[in-house]
Amino acid sequence: MDADVIIIGSGAGGGTIARALADSGLNILILERGDYLPREWGNWDPRTVFAEHRYHTHEQWRDQHGKFFSPITGYHVGGNTKFYGAAVLRRRESDFLIRHHKDGNTRAWPICYADLAPFYDQAEAWYFTHGQAGTDPTDPPRGDYPFPPFSHEEDVALVDTALRGMGLHPFPLPLAIHRLDDDPEHSPCVRCPTCDGFPCMLHAKGDAEVCGIRPALEYSNVRLLTKHRVQRLISSADGKRVETVETDQGRFSARLVVLAAGAVNSAALLLASASEQFPTGLANHSDQVGRHYMCHLNSACMALKPGRENRTIFQKTLALNDFYEGSGDPEYPYPLGHIQSLGKVTPGLFHAEQPHLPIPATAWAASHSVDWWLTTEDLPD
């Protein structure tokens, strides 16, 4: 055996479970398809990140019609958490139950929120999460956050006050960022405008590399191999477990294999592991692996106020769940989703995303906008 446990992927799942198992004394091998994301000025440059897609894969995927497209995803130590906005919210109690949507009902989970609550506690501690319990009406039962919430800047505070005046219940967005408000001179986070969607050059973002892989590698029983793309999984003779992992650089065997390559690539790897014994792919007796993909509908929304500039630098501190379970409208009694502030859209970022618009127009819009991230409910398709 090359290891007791092989973990495929070093992102949110793989990185966190590596840290959880690191002190077990087991021989742990982490296989990562990519490499460490380079620390360079381009990390903070909107054109490099959003126009040139320097840190995203150049491979082509096919859509449901067979047409090629470029996925906005990348392969790095830490996975796509290197780019996330560091917002970390727990599932609500109702998420584990049957939920009624316009297009049908969800299935209930075989577990409930209470089963996961202690693991949420542990993850929030590892990812130095800032927040304030009890301020969101949909908040599940929980204790205090490890760190106090990020404060609102002046213009965001005005929006918070306005929302409360409408009878809504905005709350501080829980953020996994290493920020020391009581010692700003030595704080890893400097509340810069290049957080949401950018890699953090200061390693202040609570991503899976900083909070999972790095602490795990402090143990001598944990190894990480980068640039090892897993190509297929090979099961034991009786078909009851995976015993060999085949990469583009060789084969590795272990008593236990953890597949944490992300929703799309984990399914693709199981399908690529078809054999005479498993002609439709591993773990696919139902023929459902890779089907019914579910991805929340995420939208960026810029609300413009022509008469006032938005001088905010670090905007991503506000969230709203008043419509999470529904709007209260009897004509549409279905869950609507979650709203949170987006990292501040700057003129450079807006132009990188919309290069065909005139620069003066994008500069004016970005300086007068309050920016939002809308996560709309969706069903598997």
Side-chain angles (χ1 to χ4, degrees), residues 143-176:
D144 292 334
Y145 281 89
F147 297 95
F150 270 60
S151 59
H152 300 318
E153 294 184 29
E154 180 183 355
D155 290 322
V156 178
L158 291 174
V159 175
D160 178 89
T161 300
L163 291 172
R164 294 181 189 280
M166 297 168 63
L168 300 175
H169 303 83
F171 61 95
L173 180 65
L175 293 172

Side-chain angles (χ1 to χ4, degrees), residues 88-296:
V88 283
L89 295 104
R90 300 185 178 200
R91 289 291 182 189
R92 276 35 193 165
E93 290 178 291
S94 62
D95 290 325
F96 296 87
L97 308 175
I98 295 174
R99 302 195 78 189
H100 305 288
H101 294 262
K102 182 178 180 180
D103 297 319
N105 299 331
T106 65
R107 299 283 293 274
W109 286 48
I111 58 175
C112 64
Y113 166 79
D115 295 319
L116 290 184
F119 303 102
Y120 281 128
D121 291 340
Q122 181 65 81
E124 286 175 351
W126 284 347
Y127 283 73
F128 28 74
T129 305
H130 295 249
Q132 185 175 0
T135 53
D136 171 19
T138 70
D139 220 4
R142 54 158 305 129
D144 292 334
Y145 281 89
F147 297 95
F150 270 60
S151 59
H152 300 318
E153 294 184 29
E154 180 183 355
D155 290 322
V156 178
L158 291 174
V159 175
D160 178 89
T161 300
L163 291 172
R164 294 181 189 280
M166 297 168 63
L168 300 175
H169 303 83
F171 61 95
L173 180 65
L175 293 172
I177 298 176
H178 198 182
R179 170 73 182 176
L180 303 174
D181 284 324
D182 57 349
D183 188 12
E185 290 298 319
H186 298 93
S187 176
C189 171
V190 295
R191 293 184 65 123
C192 73
T194 53
C195 183
D196 197 357
F198 294 84
C200 180
M201 199 188 304
L202 303 178
H203 298 302
K205 187 184 296 185
D207 60 46
E209 178 201 348
V210 172
C211 299
I213 296 299
R214 285 189 181 188
L217 291 177
E218 293 178 3
Y219 292 83
S220 60
N221 55 300
V222 181
R223 292 181 296 152
L224 168 67
L225 293 180
T226 59
K227 300 181 181 178
H228 277 65
R229 178 177 180 174
V230 177
Q231 296 177 319
R232 62 194 298 260
L233 308 175
I234 302 171
S235 64
S236 57
D238 60 10
K240 292 185 177 180
R241 64 183 182 88
V242 172
E243 63 179 13
T244 304
V245 175
E246 185 178 285
T247 78
D248 55 1
Q249 299 192 48
R251 290 187 173 189
F252 302 89
S253 59
R255 293 181 175 85
L256 178 68
V257 175
V258 177
L259 177 54
V264 172
N265 279 299
S266 290
L269 185 53
L270 291 171
L271 295 175
S273 302
S275 63
E276 285 188 21
Q277 193 174 14
F278 300 104
T280 61
L282 280 183
N284 196 22
H285 178 73
S286 64
D287 195 36
Q288 298 306 300
V289 169
R291 303 186 191 278
H292 313 297
Y293 179 63
M294 185 172 181
C295 180
H296 284 299

